[in-house]
Amino acid sequence: MTQNTETSFGYFDDENKEFVITSPHTPLPWINYLGNDGFYGLISNTAGGYCFYKDAKFRRLTRYRYNNVPMDSGGRYFYINDNGVVWNPAGRPCNTELDFYQCRHGLGYSRFIGRKNELEAELTVTIPLEMNAEVYKLKLTNNSEQTKQIGLFSFIEWCLWNAQTDGENFQRNLSTGEVEVDGNFIFHKTEYRERRNHYAFFACNKDIDGFDTDRETFVGMYNGFNNPQVVSANKAANSVAHGWSPIASHYFNLQLAAGQSEEIVFMLGYCELSRENKWQALNQINQTPARELFAHVDTAKKFDHQCKRLRSYWQECLDVCQVNTPDDRFNRSINIWNQYQNMVTFNMSRSASYYESGIGRGMGFRDSHQDTIGFTHIAPAAVRQRLLDLSATQKQDGSAYHQYQPLTKKGNADIGGNFNDDPMWMILGTANYIKETGDWSILDEKVPFDDNSQAVSHFEHLRAAFNHTANKLGPHGLPLIGRADWNDCLNLNCYSNDPNESFQTTEHRKDSVAESLMIAGQFVLYGQEYVRLCQHIGMFEEANAAKTHIEKMITAVEQYGWDGQWFLRAYDADGKAIGSHKNAEGKIFIESQGFCVMAGIGLENGKAQSALDAVEEHLACDFGIVLQQPAFSRYDIALGEISSYPPGYKENAGIFCHNNPWICIGEAMLGRADKALSYYQRINPIYLQDLQQTHKTEPYVYSQMVAGKDAAIPGEAKNSWLTGTAAWSYYAAVQYILGIRPDYQGLSITPCIPKSWPSFTVQRKFRGAHYQISVHNNSSDKQGLYIDGQAIAGNTIDSAKYTENHVVEFYIG
């Protein structure tokens, strides 16, 4: 793969799998994620962000200030005082302009290089595998010809564990902060005396010349992070926090000879102990776990070893699927950044990003099931456990909690359920897992419902999900929408004029009329998968009964869901059609076109093609496909939150990128390869380097929303990283454009590529085998599938027969 031409803000380094940021003044903070095993961190290109253990709400270690002035306030800061010139290797929070700045966001780490006045600082930040700690290696090099005397100050600010009360309950938390200092270890033990059995610490591997743990002393009451008074004085105050706001800062008085370098390793760690082992002496915490943890990285050599392990881990993950097409940007996205984002999105769901505070949202039920379709090939065991965890938040009637908190794995009662698309996503997640792994045993796993009732098989949870949708139908025989379907902002049972009410959790109408065409398509699509699951395990009567429900749904969609040129979106609480040419605004929506076509409805009678032609005519623009048209110009109480946004933003005719891949898949199913690829490229950030000043969000990961053609600034993106766009885009690109698709019997090959592509190759590990796949386009002498030189009937590599290394050729006539 080639390296992109450098833009105003950076470039891709494909060999090292990094995006290199060359200016600290990016249009928005461009972040990276650290951690894979339960301890996570968010870090921006200027070292902003925070870290937490498992749950960003209940176990947050460091404090962060969202939507603040200046932006991206709070992080891991290292201050250098070089003869009165104070600066940071990551470019902030000091305003000192650096002679050189670079941030290299890699897979699970970020590296910052700053230079000022012939002093270079290189800071590497990562969370090693299997460690509940964020670790840093800071290397200082004196490139001048004179000896330098340098003051170095580390700095983090502790969050008081519960991120919500940390920002609310000041009458308590401004009196509870407690620290303990022992040499180069600074321990955060707020509330440890009472109900907490965990503490945090900030340690380093070099003797310190001072420390600070009180924020007011370090920063100064009316100073900012850009000008801490201790750093300006170039001497630590050795403050100990009692109440107020605790921090952790190490101070070093360093002397570097000309050409000399020095490396210091730091660890920000989390320890959890049993109640019996909390203390080593009266009011002295048990430091042993912290010191044992730090011992894994307490030298530069050990730190480098952990970084090497992390690189090997990611190489192994990515090697499961590697593609080589004529399009370098397509390859870069699929081989590196899309898979990396899929991992992060699987870990976080929608809980913690630069846009999601980690307080109000846990692991989404619909979100997490969809995320698995971009991730199962990387870590099937983790996906299996996630599916069972989600199954345990289902209610006995087949509905589910919309979210659960990752620390407790219990449903979020504040949000509740009755989002009627939720149940059927269970079938997608489970079917996708079985297709990838061939592991049918997941259906037999015993899982309780959310009320801790007697556990039943996971299959029984799928049956409950199917029946919940099959039996909750409205006047037209279409599924009832509940609070909302996939579109959380289409609130047909809310009817709220009170700004203090939530659109999603306030229902003023009885949910017995408003229906969803999106859920109808979803029910048909994943109902068909449910039938196949039933047939495989010998439940033929159940399969036949399910077929009857599906056939009735298809009939209802054809009879009551077709508007003449496209599929309706819904019926509201008064039974009026939404997404119809008869409507003044919101005549056509994307969701029902995508799901009904993916379900195969209208493929044989031309309705599917007509619907996608209407999408192209009315919804497509240069930046992607908008959610609906025309945009709503006024608030409509019968529609809810969707009409509360200004035209062109979010659900009101914004490009809600999550659903664009559904149209890509539909176009591929129709065999229209150029259109499928075009839609894929329009929202893929790797194709948007020339638009970065407008696009604003990170150029290496998908965003949830891009402003639509009605917006003041079309093409401006928001809410990056944690979006279902990542998994769906990967799924559409690999399984439908390239056509490398896992199925129950094995790996099928059904490409839909443009004629301009002569060929492509895929290295794919699948169920213990390794397939070297070559697809040849516009073939005149051969057609179909060949394995190890032998022609094979059909288009599926039988995984039971081809179990080792095999050369696979597929010829498109």
Side-chain angles (χ1 to χ4, degrees), residues 339-480:
Q339 293 197 67
Y340 181 53
Q341 186 177 5
N342 289 344
M343 166 79 91
V344 170
T345 305
F346 175 80
N347 286 336
M348 301 289 134
S349 188
R350 309 297 177 268
S351 63
S353 73
Y354 181 73
Y355 307 86
E356 299 284 1
S357 68
I359 295 173
R361 297 183 68 177
M363 308 298 283
F365 191 87
R366 78 158 73 100
D367 300 325
S368 294
H369 278 111
Q370 291 175 86
D371 291 341
T372 64
I373 67 175
F375 184 75
T376 306
H377 66 290
I378 294 178
V383 169
R384 191 182 200 273
Q385 186 58 55
R386 175 67 54 78
L387 294 173
L388 297 175
D389 288 344
L390 289 163
S391 188
T393 67
Q394 187 189 31
K395 301 177 183 180
Q396 291 196 36
D397 67 355
S399 64
Y401 276 104
H402 197 50
Q403 301 170 6
Y404 76 88
Q405 291 302 136
L407 194 65
T408 64
K409 295 186 178 181
K410 297 295 183 183
N412 187 344
D414 291 339
I415 302 298
N418 202 23
F419 295 78
N420 283 350
D421 67 305
D422 276 346
M424 292 301 292
W425 294 117
M426 295 183 70
I427 298 171
L428 166 65
T430 301
N432 179 74
Y433 169 78
I434 296 173
K435 288 177 180 179
E436 177 66 35
T437 64
D439 174 21
W440 290 88
S441 70
I442 190 174
L443 297 180
D444 300 322
E445 286 286 346
K446 300 296 184 182
V447 185
F449 289 97
D450 81 293
D451 61 358
N452 293 318
S453 58
Q454 184 175 356
V456 298
S457 70
H458 181 62
F459 175 81
E460 289 300 323
H461 286 262
L462 301 186
R463 190 210 297 255
F466 180 88
N467 289 334
H468 179 274
T469 307
N471 296 319
K472 284 185 73 70
L473 305 179
H476 300 94
L478 300 167
L480 294 171

Side-chain angles (χ1 to χ4, degrees), residues 410-619:
K410 297 295 183 183
N412 187 344
D414 291 339
I415 302 298
N418 202 23
F419 295 78
N420 283 350
D421 67 305
D422 276 346
M424 292 301 292
W425 294 117
M426 295 183 70
I427 298 171
L428 166 65
T430 301
N432 179 74
Y433 169 78
I434 296 173
K435 288 177 180 179
E436 177 66 35
T437 64
D439 174 21
W440 290 88
S441 70
I442 190 174
L443 297 180
D444 300 322
E445 286 286 346
K446 300 296 184 182
V447 185
F449 289 97
D450 81 293
D451 61 358
N452 293 318
S453 58
Q454 184 175 356
V456 298
S457 70
H458 181 62
F459 175 81
E460 289 300 323
H461 286 262
L462 301 186
R463 190 210 297 255
F466 180 88
N467 289 334
H468 179 274
T469 307
N471 296 319
K472 284 185 73 70
L473 305 179
H476 300 94
L478 300 167
L480 294 171
I481 196 170
R483 290 180 179 174
D485 56 21
W486 171 90
N487 188 335
D488 283 324
C489 297
L490 188 60
N491 314 118
L492 305 183
N493 295 298
C494 177
Y495 277 67
S496 176
N497 271 323
D498 185 345
N500 299 310
E501 292 178 335
S502 163
F503 285 108
Q504 282 77 50
T505 61
T506 303
E507 293 175 90
H508 291 302
R509 288 290 187 100
K510 186 178 180 182
D511 179 19
S512 59
V513 177
E515 300 164 293
S516 167
L517 265 297
M518 179 263 155
I519 299 178
Q522 179 199 34
F523 177 77
V524 173
L525 178 58
Y526 302 133
Q528 292 164 347
E529 293 293 352
Y530 178 69
V531 168
R532 295 180 71 190
L533 293 174
C534 291
Q535 291 170 336
H536 188 275
I537 61 177
M539 298 189 66
F540 298 108
E541 288 187 11
E542 177 73 12
N544 290 333
K547 282 183 182 179
T548 300
H549 285 295
I550 293 166
E551 289 164 1
K552 288 182 179 178
M553 188 64 70
I554 294 173
T555 299
V557 172
E558 294 267 13
Q559 184 172 357
Y560 299 110
W562 184 248
D563 193 54
Q565 291 182 286
W566 57 76
F567 295 100
L568 295 174
R569 178 61 178 88
Y571 284 93
D572 69 13
D574 293 320
K576 297 177 182 177
I578 297 172
S580 167
H581 71 281
K582 297 178 183 178
N583 301 137
E585 296 176 334
K587 294 175 181 288
I588 177 173
F589 285 70
I590 188 175
E591 302 102 305
S592 48
Q593 318 314 318
F595 255 92
C596 289
V597 173
M598 287 196 298
I601 302 173
L603 285 179
E604 296 180 358
N605 58 20
K607 290 180 178 177
Q609 181 172 329
S610 175
L612 295 190
D613 288 345
V615 167
E616 182 179 30
E617 180 182 355
H618 299 286
L619 302 180

